[in-house]
Amino acid sequence: MSALLLIEDDPRVQRGLQLALGRHGHDVRTADSGEEGLRQLVESGPDLVVLDLMLPGMDGFEVCRRIRLSGEVPVIMLTALGDDFDVVTGLAAGADDYVVKPVQPTVLDARIRAVLRRSGGAPDGVRTFRDLRIDTDGLTVYLHGAPVPLAPTELRLLLTLSRAPGRVFTRQQLLEQVWEHDHLGDSRLVDNCVQRLRAKIEKNPAAPEYVQTVRGFGYRFGPA
């Protein structure tokens, strides 16, 4: 799992990319201005920054320059279609790569992983918790070395929870990140999917080790 900081002022683009990159196994924090992004950079220490160049106030070029002065965190910039000047200026400011907007999440994910590999900060794509092994690249799950057949929604739920062990996800957050916007408000979808997932990965579904209930709040991935 990689920790990303997305600095983007358009709320629709920001939310869409946050959800999409989350489904690709990244833990994404967001900021809607350059100033807020720099504060988040210090507070959260991300593995990589995805930076929109057209920001209110401090623009992306200046943000990138300041990131470079503060350390070696890789930066991928989002630039307008066909704007070669932005690309050249952004790279000169210290960006590691660029992606043209509108961006396909699969393309951005591939660029993120490539930059992280080059920088030595790439995750290995495998999450191991006790006897449970989750391959986020191959989208396969193994328990005690044997493959676990999961339905697509069960797999997305497991990937979402396991990308941040110990973090509590509300049912609403899981609906948004696993089911996107199709079934907002129907928490029964989450509860039923959790039950099916537990039946496949837990030794004792009534006393789960992995997908744990936090009463009154939601669920967390919490191997002891």
Side-chain angles (χ1 to χ4, degrees), residues 45-63:
D47 298 315
L48 182 143
V49 176
V50 179
L51 173 64
D52 184 26
L53 292 184
M54 301 304 294
L55 295 170
M58 184 188 305
D59 65 24
F61 301 114
E62 181 60 24
V63 174

Side-chain angles (χ1 to χ4, degrees), residues 53-113:
L53 292 184
M54 301 304 294
L55 295 170
M58 184 188 305
D59 65 24
F61 301 114
E62 181 60 24
V63 174
C64 190
R65 282 189 284 267
R66 295 195 184 194
I67 291 174
R68 276 291 153 267
L69 290 174
S70 66
E72 297 300 322
V73 179
V75 177
I76 294 180
M77 63 181 189
L78 302 178
T79 184
L81 179 63
D83 198 333
D84 292 338
F85 176 79
D86 280 358
V87 172
V88 173
T89 306
L91 292 173
D96 296 271
D97 200 355
Y98 71 93
V99 177
V100 173
K101 296 171 69 175
V103 56
Q104 292 294 325
T106 52
V107 173
L108 181 55
D109 173 62
R111 294 291 187 89
I112 288 168
R113 293 179 185 275

Side-chain angles (χ1 to χ4, degrees), residues 2-8 14 18 26-31 39-41 43-46 48 50 167:
S2 56
L4 307 181
L5 173 59
L6 170 63
I7 307 176
E8 166 64 63
Q14 182 191 98
Q18 183 181 32
H26 304 286
D27 184 17
V28 186
R29 294 197 177 193
T30 61
R39 284 193 293 270
Q40 289 266 11
L41 181 73
E43 294 174 4
S44 63
L48 182 143
V50 179
R167 173 183 167 184

